[in-house]
Amino acid sequence: MDETTIKNRRYADVIVEISHEKVDRAFQYLIPEALLGQIAPGVRVHVPFGQGNKDMTGYVVELSEEADYPVEKMKEIRCIDEKATTLESDLIQTAYWMKSHYGSTMITALKTVLPVKQKLKQPERKKVIRRCGREEIEKQLAECERKHQTAKVRVLNALLEEEILPYSLLREKLNVAAPTLNSLEKQGIIAIEKEHYYRNPVKRTEAREAARMLSAGQRHIIDDVMADYRAGRPGTYLIQGITGSGKTEVYLGIIEEMIGMGKQAIMLIPEIALTYQTLLRFYKRFGDRVSVINSTLSMGEKYDQTERARRGELDVMIGPRSALFTPFPNLGVIVIDEEHENSYKSETMPKYHARETAVQIASLKGASVVLGSATPSLEASYRAEKGEYKRYLLKERLTGGMLPKVYTVDLREELKEGNRSIFSRKLKELLEQRLAAGEQSMLFLNRRGYAGFISCRACGHVMKCPHCDVSLSEHKNGMLVCHYCGYEEKRPPLCPSCGSRYLLGFRAGTEQIEEAVYKEFPGARVLRMDADSTRSKESYEKILSAFADGKADILVGTQMIVKGHDFPNVTLVGILAADLSLNQNDYRAGERTFQLLTQAAGRAGRGEKPGEVVIQTYQPEHYSIVHAAGQDYEGFYKEEIVYRELLQYPPAAHMLAILAVSGEEAEGNGVLETFARLVRERFGRDKSLYIIGPAQAAVARINDLYRHTLYLKHSDYERLVQIKDMLEAYGKEQDFKKLNIQFDFNPMNTY
Ligand code: ADP
Ligand code: ZN
Ligand code: ZN
C-alpha cells in the first residue's frame, strides 16, 4: 500500500486478543490524526474495549476508507504498542498479502495462516530404543524373515541402522502396528519410552561426517547461499538436479549452517514424499529439534507443534504447504523440495502458491528461499532465466545407479501389426524377462478406476452423472461411479435410450490393467494403487510396504506410484498411455506430462541393477514425450516457453481465472457477462489485457451446481489485482446470495 492510500483509510479493523476462534470478530476503530500513516495491517495497538473502556491490546488486520457504522459511536485507537511481538505481526502481514494478492476475505486469509488454538493434554511423544546388540537383532531378523513377520522385519532393519527412533515414524511411515511394537518390547528387543527421557539425541559426529562427503558442486551451492545470507543479501535459489543428485544433502547443509547461526528452517516436502527414509535423514541430523506437520495430525497436535516452534524448542519444521506459516522467531531459510508439484498450490481460498508465498514471507523475515526439483516448474526456470532466482545444476546421480534406458513405442504401429493388447510387444517381452528374473516392475497409468466411459454402440448414448456434467466410470463391482460427486448406480443391462444390448465400456483404467496382467502373465503377483484402493492413509502405506517387501512382482498405479518412493528392486517401468495427460484442454498439460513421464522413468533402476523404461504413446513425436524420453529438461523448456510466450500464458504473462458457481445456470453466466463488461469499460483500452469468455467450465456442472469461467490475461500481475479488487467490490455491493465467486491467479488447471 502506498502512503496516500494508507492516509485515506481512516478506519482500522482490530482483533482484540487474537486467536483462531476470534478472527471473525474484528472491531472497527478510528485512527487518530497523529497515527495516520503509521497504522497498517499487522501493527499492534492499544484500544479502549467494552463498557468500561478497559485498555486492551489488539492487532490491526485491515484498513478501510469507509466506516462500517456511525462514526460518532466509534472509539479511537489509543496508541501503538511498542512491545509488539513480531511473530503475530508477520503472520497478519502475510495474511494481508495473501488476501490482496490472491483474492479472499481477510478472515479466510487469517484462518489460513494462524494455527487453531486448541488446548490438548500434552501429546505423548514416544521413542523406540534398541535394547540388545546387533548380533541379537540379526538373529531375530533371520527368525522373523523365516516366519514371514514382515512388519517385525521392517522394525528390526530400521534398528540396525538407528538405535533410537521416533515411535510415530515407525507407526506411520513404516506401517508398523502398535501390537507389533508391544510384542517386540515384551521380547526385550526394544523399549518404548516417553521422549523426555531422551532429549536431543543428535549425533554431532555423524553430521560432520556427512558434511565432509559433499561434492564440490554441493559445497559450492551451500557456500554461495550462505555467503549471500551472511552479507545481508538473502535471495531465492533454484537447485536443478535429478533424484539422487544430492539436493537433499545440500538442503541439510544449508539448514545446518543456519542452525549454527541461531536461525530456524522450514522444509516443505509434498505430503506424498514424506517418506520414512527422508524423515529419518532429518531426525538423524537434527534430532528432536525437528518436527513434522502432516494431514494426519489433529488440529490440537498442529497447534502444539507451532507453539513449540514459537517457544524456540524447534529448529526445523517439515511438512506440506501449510508448514509455511510456522511462527519461528528467527527464520533463516525456507526450502521447497519438488517445487514443481501441483500440491503447493492451495485449492481453497485464498488460492495461494507456496513458492510465491515463501518468497513473500522470506522477504518479511530476511530469510533465504531454496527451491529444488528434477523438473523445475516453468515458473521457476523462467524466474531463474530472468535473473530473479540464482540457478545451480547438479548433474550426476551420486548413488551410482545409471540412468535408465528408454524405449518409446508407437501404439499406432502396434495396432497395424495386429497387436490389440494394452501391452506393446516390447513391454510384454521386458515384463516376461523381469518375472523370470524375479525383479519388480511398475506399470503407470495416468488415470484411475475403469476411467473409461460407458456408451451405446448402437445409438451413441453415454452414461452420465445426473448431477454433474461428466460421464460415469465403470468399476469392477458392476457399479457406475461419478468421480466428482460420488454418485453411484448399477450398470444397466440395456441402453436406457434405445434398449440395445451393446452398451459397452471404453476400458482403460488401472483395474483393467490389473486384470490384463493376470490374463497375460498367469501367476504374476500384482498390487494396485490408485485413489480408489487407497481411500485411507493407512492402505497407502500398506500397499507401499507390501511392494517393498517383495510381496508383488508388479505394481499398477496412477500418479501416486511415481512420487517419492524408492524401490531398489524395480528395474522396469511401463508407461501405458503417455498421451492420456496430454489430451486435456489445459495450458499446463504438456508440462505435467513431461514431469510425470520423467518422474516415472526415474523410478527404474534405482538400485544396483540398471533400469529400462517403455513409454507407450499415440504421439511419439510430441515434444513433451520426446524430451521426457531423452531426459532432456532444457529441450523441453525451450519449446514449452515459446508456446507460453506466444499465447501469453503463465509464466510469460499472468492469468486470472474467475469461477462462478451457481444454482441457476443463467445466473452464473450473467454475472460473468457483467464482470467482462465492467472490465472492458474500465480497462478496454489496455492493449495488454486479454479477456476470454465467459464460458461454461470444462466440467460445467458438479453436484447440481453450474460452473462458468472468465479468464483474464495481462503481463502485469498488479493490473489483474486491480481488476480483482474492482470485481470483488462490485460483488460485495450486489451481495449475491446463491452465487459463489472464486478468484484464482495463475491457476494450475483450467476450470
Ligand atoms: P536428491 O535429494 O537429489 O534425490 P540426495 O541428497 O538424497 O539427492 O542424495 C542421493 C543419495 O546420495 C543419498 O543416499 C545421499 O546420502 C547420497 N549422497 C549425497 N551427497 C553425497 C556425496 N557428496 N557423496 C556421496 N553420497 C552422497
Ligand atoms: Zn456426479
Ligand atoms: Zn442406445
Side-chain angles (χ1 to χ4, degrees):
M1 248 186 285
D2 60 51
E3 200 96 336
T4 41
T5 350
I6 292 179
K7 286 218 165 116
N8 284 334
R9 301 192 177 182
R10 302 282 329 257
Y11 311 99
D13 290 343
V14 176
I15 294 179
V16 178
E17 282 188 21
I18 198 152
S19 74
H20 196 87
E21 311 101 275
K22 288 186 185 155
V23 296
D24 19 20
R25 282 202 281 130
F27 298 91
Q28 202 165 52
Y29 284 87
L30 202 63
I31 303 175
E33 201 71 43
L35 292 182
L36 272 182
Q38 295 175 51
I39 302 275
V43 169
R44 190 151 107 142
V45 290
H46 282 272
V47 290
F49 190 76
Q51 302 247 299
N53 282 337
K54 206 172 134 218
D55 186 69
M56 299 274 267
T57 56
Y59 286 92
V60 174
V61 293
E62 173 113 74
L63 303 181
S64 39
E65 286 176 36
E66 278 158 47
D68 287 348
Y69 63 98
V71 182
E72 314 84 73
K73 293 193 189 153
M74 202 178 284
K75 298 176 189 174
E76 264 196 5
I77 288 177
R78 283 198 175 129
C79 60
I80 293 176
D81 182 25
E82 303 295 348
K83 297 192 306 275
T85 69
T86 57
L87 286 181
E88 254 66 30
S89 177
D90 288 349
L91 286 172
I92 293 167
Q93 284 184 58
T94 302
Y96 191 80
W97 178 86
M98 285 164 73
K99 168 210 125 91
S100 327
H101 204 75
Y102 296 109
S104 83
T105 63
M106 188 60 188
I107 292 163
T108 322
L110 280 171
K111 285 190 170 165
T112 309
V113 308
L114 290 174
V116 181
K117 193 171 261 179
Q118 215 176 61
K119 275 283 160 238
L120 78 171
K121 58 174 177 36
Q122 206 53 30
E124 278 203 307
R125 300 169 54 83
K126 292 188 283 191
K127 291 229 154 163
V128 170
I129 298 137
R130 188 172 103 189
R131 287 195 45 194
C132 50
R134 289 187 70 90
E135 271 164 45
E136 178 63 21
I137 298 278
E138 271 161 13
K139 214 177 90 202
Q140 290 291 338
L141 196 55
E143 178 75 7
C144 292
E145 269 168 1
R146 197 176 55 75
K147 291 190 195 152
H148 298 290
Q149 297 174 325
T150 50
K152 280 193 182 172
V153 168
R154 285 198 292 279
V155 179
L156 293 169
N157 269 322
L159 287 172
L160 275 182
E161 275 184 45
E162 279 301 295
E163 287 176 40
I164 304 172
L165 285 162
Y167 185 83
S168 59
L169 194 65
L170 292 173
R171 288 277 289 108
E172 285 160 29
K173 293 297 168 187
L174 273 194
N175 181 37
V176 178
T180 307
L181 291 170
N182 294 340
S183 140
L184 284 168
E185 187 174 32
K186 272 203 206 94
Q187 285 176 267
I189 297 170
I190 59 168
I192 301 172
E193 293 193 5
K194 297 254 172 61
E195 172 162 81
H196 53 260
Y197 297 123
Y198 283 89
R199 281 217 93 75
N200 228 0
V202 195
K203 292 175 192 148
R204 278 287 147 196
T205 49
E206 222 170 296
R208 246 182 252 124
E209 252 168 23
R212 210 176 46 216
M213 265 185 4
L214 293 174
S215 70
Q218 289 171 316
R219 191 71 254 164
H220 167 71
I221 303 173
I222 299 174
D223 290 346
D224 211 36
V225 170
M226 292 312 297
D228 280 356
Y229 185 80
R230 292 203 173 90
R233 285 183 275 110
T236 303
Y237 309 86
L238 171 63
I239 307 175
Q240 183 177 336
I242 55 169
T243 314
S245 61
K247 297 186 296 297
T248 306
E249 211 54 48
V250 173
Y251 309 150
L252 290 167
I254 292 170
I255 292 172
E256 187 161 54
E257 297 213 7
M258 287 290 181
I259 293 174
M261 295 171 70
K263 307 286 173 184
Q264 299 91 33
I266 293 171
M267 176 79 221
L268 300 191
I269 300 181
E271 179 128 18
I272 206 158
L274 281 173
T275 61
Y276 173 78
Q277 288 300 341
T278 305
L279 293 180
L280 184 63
R281 278 171 85 179
F282 281 86
Y283 281 116
K284 270 178 154 174
R285 198 76 167 251
F286 306 117
D288 64 0
R289 297 196 48 93
V290 173
S291 181
V292 183
I293 283 192
N294 59 44
S295 59
T296 60
L297 292 187
S298 70
M299 286 299 192
E301 286 168 324
K302 276 185 192 151
Y303 180 71
D304 180 63
Q305 296 310 312
T306 32
E307 282 306 291
R308 290 180 69 208
R310 187 193 299 272
R311 288 194 301 263
E313 293 172 18
L314 295 177
D315 294 328
V316 186
M317 182 64 92
I318 305 175
R321 205 172 62 217
S322 61
L324 207 47
F325 308 114
T326 307
F328 276 127
N330 285 304
L331 185 67
V333 64
I334 302 174
V335 180
I336 307 185
D337 191 29
E338 312 277 354
E339 74 60 47
H340 62 275
E341 277 288 315
N342 275 357
S343 60
Y344 284 128
K345 173 100 194 229
S346 170
E347 284 175 358
T348 53
M349 301 274 269
K351 298 189 176 183
Y352 68 97
H353 197 294
R355 189 189 326 108
E356 297 160 359
T357 310
V359 171
Q360 168 66 17
I361 292 174
S363 82
L364 211 60
K365 301 222 165 214
S368 305
V369 177
V370 176
L371 311 170
S373 173
T375 51
S377 60
L378 266 265
E379 275 74 9
S381 279
Y382 191 71
R383 301 268 119 75
E385 208 103 300
K386 299 254 169 233
E388 289 170 47
Y389 302 171
K390 243 193 227 182
R391 188 205 319 246
Y392 306 101
L393 296 177
L394 285 174
K395 292 217 169 106
E396 289 137 59
R397 222 181 225 190
L398 294 165
T399 37
M402 281 184 299
L403 285 179
K405 183 159 177 38
V406 182
Y407 307 92
T408 307
V409 176
D410 186 342
L411 288 174
R412 295 168 302 191
E413 291 298 320
E414 292 294 310
L415 204 64
K416 261 193 218 153
E417 301 286 325
N419 178 14
R420 293 179 175 277
S421 148
I422 52 174
F423 305 111
S424 60
R425 288 159 300 172
K426 184 75 192 172
L427 182 55
K428 191 162 175 237
E429 174 200 323
L430 295 181
L431 275 169
E432 270 161 3
Q433 282 177 10
R434 293 316 188 279
L435 288 168
E439 292 171 15
Q440 290 180 306
S441 307
M442 280 163 108
L443 295 177
F444 166 63
L445 188 78
N446 189 15
R447 278 208 179 162
R448 69 175 190 176
Y450 262 132
F453 51 92
I454 302 285
S455 67
C456 172
R457 297 292 151 93
C459 76
H461 177 82
V462 174
M463 298 297 294
K464 285 194 156 189
C465 174
H467 308 289
C468 308
D469 173 43
V470 292
S471 48
L472 294 168
S473 300
E474 184 184 26
H475 281 235
K476 211 159 45 180
N477 59 9
M479 298 302 281
L480 300 181
V481 181
C482 171
H483 283 165
Y484 281 84
C485 74
Y487 169 86
E488 283 192 1
E489 66 176 56
K490 258 187 107 65
R491 185 193 201 289
L494 303 175
C495 169
S497 169
C498 77
S500 155
R501 282 188 299 127
Y502 294 99
L503 190 66
L504 299 174
F506 172 81
R507 301 171 146 203
T510 42
E511 282 186 43
Q512 199 238 342
I513 287 161
E514 187 183 5
E515 270 176 32
V517 174
Y518 283 131
K519 223 180 270 165
E520 291 271 359
F521 311 100
R525 298 165 306 158
V526 184
L527 277 169
R528 179 170 58 87
M529 183 149 90
D530 55 29
D532 290 323
S533 68
T534 57
R535 279 281 148 69
S536 74
K537 277 262 140 45
E538 231 170 286
S539 54
Y540 171 71
E541 303 287 348
K542 244 183 214 151
I543 295 171
L544 288 175
S545 27
F547 192 58
D549 288 344
K551 287 198 179 136
D553 307 303
I554 299 174
L555 176 62
V556 176
T558 52
Q559 269 90 317
M560 298 177 137
I561 67 171
V562 305
K563 303 201 169 156
H565 292 264
D566 248 350
F567 302 105
N569 200 31
V570 169
T571 56
L572 174 64
V573 170
I575 296 158
L576 293 157
D579 346 38
L580 277 186
S581 54
L582 267 185
N583 300 331
Q584 290 166 350
N585 176 24
D586 191 330
Y587 76 97
R588 285 186 203 262
E591 180 178 5
R592 203 151 40 229
T593 302
F594 174 79
Q595 285 164 352
L596 271 174
L597 296 187
T598 312
Q599 272 172 3
R603 297 289 106 188
R606 296 293 273 279
E608 268 130 47
K609 294 167 233 162
E612 289 180 300
V613 178
V614 178
I615 298 180
Q616 304 190 154
T617 172
Y618 288 97
Q619 303 172 62
E621 65 288 338
H622 190 287
Y623 66 93
S624 295
I625 291 172
V626 172
H627 294 308
Q631 307 266 304
D632 176 12
Y633 179 83
E634 291 311 315
F636 167 74
Y637 176 81
K638 283 205 184 95
E639 292 203 39
E640 181 71 13
I641 200 71
V642 168
Y643 153 72
R644 304 278 178 101
E645 270 168 353
L646 213 61
L647 295 176
Q648 289 289 293
Y649 277 123
H654 296 286
M655 183 149 115
L656 169 59
I658 307 169
L659 175 71
V661 181
S662 58
E664 304 272 339
E665 189 166 7
E667 192 182 9
N669 193 54
V671 167
L672 293 186
E673 293 275 9
T674 312
F675 277 15
R677 183 170 51 74
L678 289 172
V679 173
R680 263 190 210 102
E681 275 170 19
R682 180 128 163 235
F683 301 101
R685 255 168 293 151
D686 184 341
K687 286 277 175 289
S688 324
L689 179 67
Y690 296 82
I691 305 172
I692 304 133
Q696 277 192 344
V699 179
R701 188 168 52 124
I702 295 180
N703 252 328
D704 291 321
L705 294 172
Y706 293 88
R707 297 152 54 85
H708 289 87
T709 55
L710 177 68
Y711 288 97
L712 304 169
K713 289 193 281 193
H714 201 286
S715 50
D716 183 7
Y717 195 99
E718 285 312 311
R719 174 50 59 89
L720 293 178
V721 169
Q722 238 179 342
I723 293 175
K724 180 259 308 169
D725 287 344
M726 173 184 91
L727 298 176
E728 220 170 29
Y730 172 81
K732 217 171 173 183
E733 250 168 54
Q734 301 295 309
D735 197 14
F736 304 121
K737 287 281 181 303
K738 286 190 213 129
L739 185 75
N740 177 279
I741 302 278
Q742 298 188 20
F743 295 98
D744 191 353
F745 284 85
N746 294 336
M748 298 308 271
N749 318 78
T750 31
Y751 288 89

